[in-house]
C-alpha cells in the first residue's frame, strides 16, 4: 500500500508528546523520575536489565497506586544473543484459600467476580502471595551487571526525600479516597488531614525508605525468608488475611518461552499462559491477516468493525480456556493456528455485529504500569507490573510502608470454572510486553497498563505500525477501541459519523475518554539509533542516552 496512512484514515488525531532518541540506551516509563532512575544506570555503564530493575523500584515509590513489592508482573527479556524469555513473577493464591472461601455477590454476571463484603477487593483478604520482589532480584542477578544496592539507590532517595505529586497521582488518590480513608496508615501519606494530596505537594515515604534500604542490603530473602516477611505474615494473621509464612518460603518465579505469531512477514513475540495476551494477540492477528486493513484505513467504520468482531471472538475463547497451565489445559496450538483463524474469519459478517461463543472448550484491573528499556549491547526489557486495582487492597502494611496487591479479585469466587480459586494458582493476566521482529531483527518493543484492555490495545498498536505505517509516536497515541461483547468503547477522537455507522451495523457504541493506559515503546533503527515514545494517557517519559566516553588518548593539553 503506497501513500501516507493519513490519506486513507477516517479518524484523525495529533500527537501530544514528542519521542526521544538515543544510541547508547533508552528507558520509557510512566513517570519521569522512574525513567531517570533507569537512565542513570545506563549512564553508569549498566545494561538494560539494570535499568529496568532500577526503574521498577523507583516506580514503587513514584507510582505507588500502580506497582509495589507486594505485587506481581511479567517481564519480556531479549538478551544480546537474540534469545527471548519471559520471567513470570505473577502472584498466587495463598495455600489457605479454597474454591469456596469467598461468597459471590448474588446475581453477579459470569464475568463479574465480586464477593459479599468486597472481601476479595479491599483489605487483607484481597491480598495474594507477592511475586514482584523475588522476580526483580532474581532477574538482576541472572542478567544484570550492577548490584542490588546500586540499582535501588534512586528509589530509596525518592522515598526518603520525597517528590512532587503530579496531577495524575492527585486524581488517582481522589478516585480511591473513600476506601483509603478507612485505613489510617495509607491515609496518613496520601490523604493528610483527610483530603487528597494536591498537585505539587511532597510525597514522603520514610518507612518505605527503610524497607527499601533493608532489601538493598539483604535481597529478596528479607521478605520471603526474613523479618519483612514476618511483618507481612503477622499483619495478615491479626487482620484476617490469608498469607502465611509457607506461602512466602515456597513461592517460585517461572521462566517461560514466548508465544510466537507470524503477521504479514513480521514475527510477534508475546507472553505465554497463564497470561492470556500472547495467545489472543496471535489469534486476532491471524484473523485480521485475511483483510486489507491498510486499504480500509485507520479508524474507518469497516476497520473498527473487524477489530470489534475479533475482540469479541478472542474474549469468548479467553473466558472458556485461559488460566494457569499447571491447573487447566490451555489449547494454545488451536487458538494460535492459521486454520482456526480461518474458521473464525469465515463466520464474520462484514456488515453486521454479532454475538460470539467460544470456539474452544474448557478479569482484571486497569491499574498497572509498564516500562521498556534497551541498551547499546542488544539487551531489551519490556515489563508490565501491578498491584492490581488502583492502590491495590487500599491498605498500607505498617512496618513495611508499602501497599499490597488485591489480586484475589481476579479469581472467580465460584468453584468449577477456568479462573476459579485453587491454592497456589497463578493469576491470569492480559499483560502484553510484546516485541516485533522483521527478518530476524528486533524493530519494536512495547507494552502498557489497562487490565483486559491491554492486549487489544497492544494489538492495535502493532496494526498501526505494520498495516498503517504510523510512526512510533503516532502508533502509541492513536485512538483505541475495545469490547468484550457488550458495549463497543471508542475514544473521543473517533468522529460522530463513524460512530453512527458502527451503530447502524449493530454495535452499541460508548464514547470513552481513554481506552487502557499509557503505552511505552521503543523502536530500533537500522543505524543503531533508538526512538522512545510514551503516550498522552499517563505521565510517560522517554529518556535516551547518546554520546559516549572519549577515546583513549584523546584529551586537551594546554600548550
Amino acid at each position: 500500500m503506497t501513500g501516507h496512512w493519513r490519506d486513507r484514515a477516517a479518524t484523525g488525531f495529533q500527537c501530544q508528546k514528542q519521542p526521544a532518541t538515543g544510541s547508547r540506551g533508552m528507558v520509557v516509563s510512566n513517570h519521569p523520575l522512574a525513567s531517570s532512575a533507569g537512565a542513570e544506570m545506563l549512564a553508569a555503564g549498566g545494561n538494560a536489565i539494570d535499568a529496568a530493575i532500577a526503574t521498577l523500584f523507583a516506580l514503587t515509590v513514584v507510582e505507588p497506586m500502580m506497582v509495589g513489592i507486594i505485587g506481581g508482573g511479567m517481564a519480556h527479556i531479549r538478551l544480546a544473543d537474540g534469545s527471548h524469555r519471559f520471567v513470570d513473577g505473577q502472584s498466587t493464591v495463598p495455600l489457605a484459600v479454597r474454591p469456596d472461601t469467598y461468597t459471590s455477590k448474588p446475581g453477579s454476571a459470569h464475568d463479574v467476580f465480586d464477593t459479599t463484603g468486597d472481601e476479595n477487593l479491599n483489605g487483607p483478604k484481597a491480598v495474594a502471595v507477592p511475586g514482584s520482589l523475588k522476580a526483580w532480584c532474581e532477574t538482576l542477578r541472572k542478567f544484570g551487571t550492577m548490584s542490588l544496592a546500586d540499582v535501588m539507590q534512586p528509589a530509596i532517595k525518592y522515598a526518603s526525600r520525597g517528590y512532587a505529586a503530579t496531577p495524575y497521582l492527585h486524581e488517582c488518590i481522589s478516585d480511591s479516597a473513600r476506601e483509603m480513608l478507612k485505613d489510617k496508615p495509607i491515609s496518613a501519606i496520601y490523604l493528610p488531614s483527610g483530603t487528597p494530596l494536591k498537585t505539587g505537594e511532597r510525597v514522603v515515604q520514610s518507612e518505605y525508605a527503610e524497607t527499601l534500604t533493608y532489601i538493598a542490603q539483604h535481597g529478596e530473602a528479607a521478605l520471603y525468608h526474613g523479618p519483612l516477611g514476618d511483618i507481612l505474615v503477622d499483619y495478615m494473621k491479626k487482620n484476617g488475611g490469608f498469607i502465611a509464612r509457607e506461602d512466602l518460603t515456597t513461592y517460585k518465579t517461572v521462566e517461560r518461552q514466548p508465544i510466537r505469531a507470524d503477521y504479514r512477514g513480521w514475527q510477534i513475540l508475546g507472553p505465554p499462559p497463564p497470561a492470556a495476551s500472547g495467545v489472543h494477540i496471535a489469534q486476532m492477528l491471524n484473523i485480521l491477516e485475511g483483510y486489507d486493513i491498510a486499504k480500509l484505513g485507520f479508524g474507518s467504520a469497516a476497520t473498527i468493525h473487524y477489530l470489534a468482531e475479533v475482540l469479541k471472538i478472542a474474549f469468548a475463547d479467553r473466558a472458556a480456556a485461559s488460566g494457569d497451565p499447571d491447573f487447566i489445559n490451555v489449547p494454545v496450538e488451536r487458538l494460535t493456528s492459521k486454520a482456526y483463524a480461518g474458521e473464525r474469519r469465515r463466520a464474520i459478517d462484514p456488515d453486521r455485529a454479532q454475538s460470539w461463543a467460544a470456539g474452544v472448550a474448557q478479569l482484571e484491573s486497569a491499574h498497572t504500569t509498564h516500562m521498556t528499556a534497551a541498551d547499546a549491547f542488544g539487551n531489551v526489557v519490556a515489563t508490565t507490573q501491578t498491584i492490581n486495582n488502583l492502590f491495590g487492597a487500599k491498605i498500607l502494611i505498617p512496618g513495611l510502608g508499602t501497599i499490597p496487591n488485591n489480586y484475589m479479585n481476579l479469581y472467580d469466587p465460584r468453584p468449577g470454572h477456568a479462573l476459579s480459586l485453587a491454592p497456589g494458582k497463578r493469576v491470569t493476566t492480559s499483560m502484553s510486553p510484546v516485541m516485533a521482529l522483521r527478518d530476524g531483527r528486533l524493530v519494536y518493543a512495547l507494552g502498557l497498563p489497562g487490565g483486559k484492555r491491554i492486549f487489544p490495545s497492544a494489538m492495535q498498536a502493532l496494526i498501526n505500525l505494520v498495516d498503517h505505517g504510523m510512526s512510533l509516536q503516532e502508533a502509541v497515541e492513536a485512538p483505541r477501541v475495545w469490547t468484550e461483547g457488550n458495549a463497543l468503547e471508542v475514544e473521543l477522537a473517533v468522529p460522530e459519523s463513524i460512530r453512527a455507522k458502527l451503530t447502524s451495523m449493530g454495535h452499541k457504541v460508548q464514547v470513552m475518554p481513554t481506552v487502557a493506559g499509557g503505552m511505552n515503546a521503543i523502536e530500533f533503527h537500522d543505524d543503531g539509533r533508538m526512538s522512545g515514545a510514551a503516550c498522552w494517557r499517563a505521565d510517560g517519559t522517554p529518556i535516551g542516552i547518546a554520546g559516549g566516553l572519549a577515546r583513549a588518548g584523546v584529551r586537551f593539553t594546554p600548550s
Side-chain angles (χ1 to χ4, degrees):
M1 179 64 62
T2 58
H4 197 276
W5 69 267
R6 289 186 183 274
D7 297 334
R8 300 183 296 276
T11 295
F13 67 95
Q14 297 299 319
C15 292
Q16 299 181 33
K17 294 187 179 182
Q18 294 292 325
T21 59
S23 56
R24 294 177 56 216
M26 181 71 63
V27 181
V28 196
S29 82
N30 277 339
H31 196 285
L33 290 178
S35 295
S36 68
E40 184 179 331
M41 302 305 120
L42 293 175
N47 67 12
I49 292 83
D50 302 318
I53 302 304
T55 301
L56 291 173
F57 275 113
L59 283 167
T60 69
V61 179
V62 298
E63 256 201 331
M65 65 287 199
M66 302 292 186
V67 59
I69 59 172
I70 314 295
M74 182 82 70
H76 185 174
I77 300 172
R78 176 185 168 92
L79 296 181
D81 62 8
S83 63
H84 289 255
R85 62 199 26 86
F86 279 85
V87 177
D88 179 348
Q90 290 290 17
S91 292
T92 60
V93 176
L95 297 173
V97 174
R98 296 292 178 265
D100 60 352
T101 290
Y102 304 96
T103 301
S104 177
K105 279 187 179 177
S108 293
H110 73 92
D111 57 347
V112 175
F113 298 163
D114 295 344
T115 61
T116 55
D118 288 334
E119 289 183 333
N120 70 341
L121 181 64
N122 301 316
K125 290 184 178 180
V127 185
V129 182
S132 288
L133 180 61
K134 192 174 183 68
W136 300 350
C137 293
E138 288 181 351
T139 299
L140 183 68
R141 276 199 305 275
K142 278 186 178 181
F143 308 115
T145 67
M146 303 178 77
S147 71
L148 182 63
D150 284 344
V151 303
M152 290 185 67
Q153 282 309 303
I156 294 169
K157 178 179 67 176
Y158 302 151
S160 61
R161 297 183 183 178
Y163 60 93
T166 65
Y168 188 69
L169 176 57
H170 167 76
E171 291 173 9
C172 290
I173 298 171
S174 299
D175 289 346
S176 304
R178 185 171 63 86
E179 283 298 327
M180 291 169 68
L181 282 169
K182 298 176 183 178
D183 185 73
K184 288 184 179 179
I186 199 170
S187 298
I189 297 176
Y190 302 105
L191 295 118
S193 304
T195 58
L197 281 171
K198 296 180 177 62
T199 300
E201 290 186 330
R202 303 295 290 177
V203 186
V204 178
Q205 303 164 70
S206 55
E207 188 174 57
Y208 186 47
E210 294 177 8
T211 294
L212 291 174
T213 300
Y214 194 84
I215 292 170
Q217 296 166 346
H218 300 279
E220 74 270 28
L223 177 66
Y224 293 89
H225 298 275
L228 300 186
D230 292 337
I231 294 172
L232 176 61
V233 170
D234 288 346
Y235 177 86
M236 290 290 152
K237 187 175 181 180
K238 291 176 183 176
N239 294 277
F242 299 115
I243 296 174
R245 170 54 66 184
E246 187 181 359
D247 291 303
L248 298 176
T249 57
T250 59
Y251 180 84
K252 289 181 172 58
T253 61
V254 182
E255 188 172 303
R256 305 181 189 275
Q257 291 303 303
I259 297 291
R260 298 172 184 265
D262 292 312
Y263 182 67
R264 305 194 200 279
W266 289 75
Q267 188 175 49
I268 312 299
L269 280 66
S277 43
V279 169
H280 296 300
I281 286 175
Q283 176 189 20
M284 292 188 292
L285 291 176
N286 284 340
I287 298 172
L288 291 171
E289 199 169 32
Y291 303 108
D292 191 343
I293 298 297
K295 185 177 180 180
L296 292 173
F298 174 77
S300 68
T303 295
I304 294 175
H305 170 68
Y306 286 129
L307 288 173
E309 296 305 286
V310 299
L311 283 171
K312 288 187 284 186
I313 291 169
F315 273 106
D317 286 338
R318 181 185 188 272
S322 288
D324 186 339
D326 289 341
F327 288 80
I328 70 165
N329 179 30
V330 182
V332 173
E333 289 188 12
R334 175 162 169 77
L335 286 169
T336 59
S337 71
K338 299 288 188 182
Y340 181 60
E343 292 175 24
R344 295 300 239 172
R345 189 188 309 116
R346 286 190 289 274
I348 293 175
D349 186 331
D351 300 311
R352 294 296 301 172
Q354 300 180 70
S355 296
W356 293 89
V360 290
Q362 199 16 275
L363 293 186
E364 65 217 78
S365 160
H367 302 110
T368 43
T369 195
H370 181 90
M371 63 79 49
T372 310
D375 59 37
F377 314 114
N379 303 294
V380 184
V381 179
T383 179
T384 312
Q385 304 285 329
T386 186
I387 50 175
N388 196 34
N389 278 11
L390 203 62
F391 289 100
K394 309 292 193 298
I395 57 176
L396 185 142
I397 309 295
L400 296 182
T402 189
I403 301 167
N405 70 80
N406 70 331
Y407 259 132
M408 299 306 291
N409 189 241
L410 299 190
Y411 296 94
D412 194 333
R414 295 155 293 206
H417 301 285
L419 298 180
S420 295
L421 291 154
K425 195 174 192 179
R426 299 178 97 82
V427 160
T428 298
T429 177
S430 289
M431 292 177 179
S432 302
V434 298
M435 299 190 192
L437 290 75
R438 182 78 172 183
D439 299 325
R441 188 182 72 82
L442 179 63
V443 182
Y444 302 112
L446 59 86
L448 73 158
K452 287 189 287 187
R453 292 160 179 77
I454 295 177
F455 73 84
S457 299
M459 181 268 292
Q460 289 171 67
L462 292 170
I463 287 173
N464 293 341
L465 294 164
V466 173
D467 287 307
H468 298 305
M470 291 186 186
S471 70
L472 188 69
Q473 192 67 47
E474 290 169 336
V476 303
E477 294 207 38
R480 303 171 186 160
V481 302
W482 179 81
T483 183
E484 61 176 330
N486 298 313
L488 171 58
E489 296 181 3
V490 302
E491 289 187 340
L492 291 165
V494 176
E496 175 57 39
S497 59
I498 301 298
R499 297 179 218 159
K501 174 63 175 175
L502 290 166
T503 299
S504 72
M505 298 170 77
H507 294 285
K508 300 175 183 177
V509 178
Q510 182 177 355
V511 181
M512 301 292 291
T514 60
V515 170
M519 185 176 292
N520 297 316
I522 298 176
E523 179 178 1
F524 302 88
H525 301 278
D526 291 338
D527 60 2
R529 288 181 302 112
M530 306 171 202
S531 297
C535 82
W536 55 269
R537 299 171 183 88
D539 293 333
T541 303
I543 297 180
I545 303 293
L549 304 179
R551 298 190 307 273
V554 177
R555 62 188 178 88
F556 171 75
T557 55
S559 56

